[in-house]
Amino acid sequence: MKQPTEQTRNFFQDVYEVVRLIPPGRVSTYGAIAHYLGSRQGARTVGWAMQAAHALSGPEYVPCHRVINRLGLLTGKQFFGSPTAMQDALEAEGVRVVEDQVQDFAQRFWDPAVELQP
DNA sequence: GTGCTGACCACGG
DNA sequence: CCCGTGGCCAGCA
């Protein structure tokens, strides 16, 4: 029997919700989102969700350019239309990026587990 | 149904 | 810092 919690932990759906909450000028990491959703090592699925989110648009749009790896590297930039689309999008929000690396990453880091504390 | 891959992360050496 | 290993979820041949 299914538990009363009919909510099917849609990892993708949860990821989209969290990524959409990332404010401009801030960046988050796959691991932080995965950890916030309860999957410490589920960061991989978060990256996969980003690729699926790339096809979304309108109210379902997800700012995947604000999600990078824990090192602050734009690992998914190659999945954007242009090799500089991701960096350009971040710089447009005031995030300095040099050689695919976010400057002041520690300050720009937006952790849902901390910012979205109940 | 099985096996593998993937925009990753943590741990040990 | 590098290297190797294990684990997570979803999609595809």
Side-chain angles (χ1 to χ4, degrees), chain A residues 27 35 54:
Chain A
V27 294
H35 183 65
H54 184 271

Side-chain angles (χ1 to χ4, degrees), chain A residues 1-53:
Chain A
M1 283 185 47
K2 303 289 188 181
Q3 295 179 342
T5 54
E6 61 281 325
Q7 285 187 341
T8 321
R9 299 172 110 203
N10 275 7
F11 215 89
F12 279 42
Q13 194 68 30
D14 289 346
V15 172
Y16 300 152
E17 290 289 320
V18 177
V19 176
R20 281 192 213 124
L21 295 175
I22 302 176
R26 297 281 185 180
V27 294
S28 187
T29 68
Y30 307 100
I33 297 169
H35 183 65
Y36 174 73
L37 297 177
S39 295
R40 178 187 46 146
Q41 299 177 323
R44 222 179 196 186
T45 314
V46 177
W48 197 249
M50 294 289 91
Q51 189 183 31

Side-chain angles (χ1 to χ4, degrees), chain A residues 15-112:
Chain A
V15 172
Y16 300 152
E17 290 289 320
V18 177
V19 176
R20 281 192 213 124
L21 295 175
I22 302 176
R26 297 281 185 180
V27 294
S28 187
T29 68
Y30 307 100
I33 297 169
H35 183 65
Y36 174 73
L37 297 177
S39 295
R40 178 187 46 146
Q41 299 177 323
R44 222 179 196 186
T45 314
V46 177
W48 197 249
M50 294 289 91
Q51 189 183 31
H54 184 271
L56 298 175
S57 60
E60 296 296 313
Y61 171 73
V62 178
C64 31
H65 63 269
R66 293 182 192 151
V67 183
I68 55 186
N69 68 350
R70 73 176 187 90
L71 301 178
L73 298 175
L74 283 58
T75 50
K77 67 164 189 175
Q78 57 182 331
F79 286 74
F80 284 71
S82 273
T84 57
M86 192 172 185
Q87 177 174 343
D88 184 63
L90 289 171
E91 290 189 328
E93 297 180 348
V95 179
R96 294 179 295 173
V97 180
V98 178
E99 293 295 304
D100 303 339
Q101 184 173 337
V102 175
Q103 304 302 295
D104 301 323
F105 173 62
Q107 296 179 349
R108 299 291 186 177
F109 179 56
W110 183 85
D111 188 350

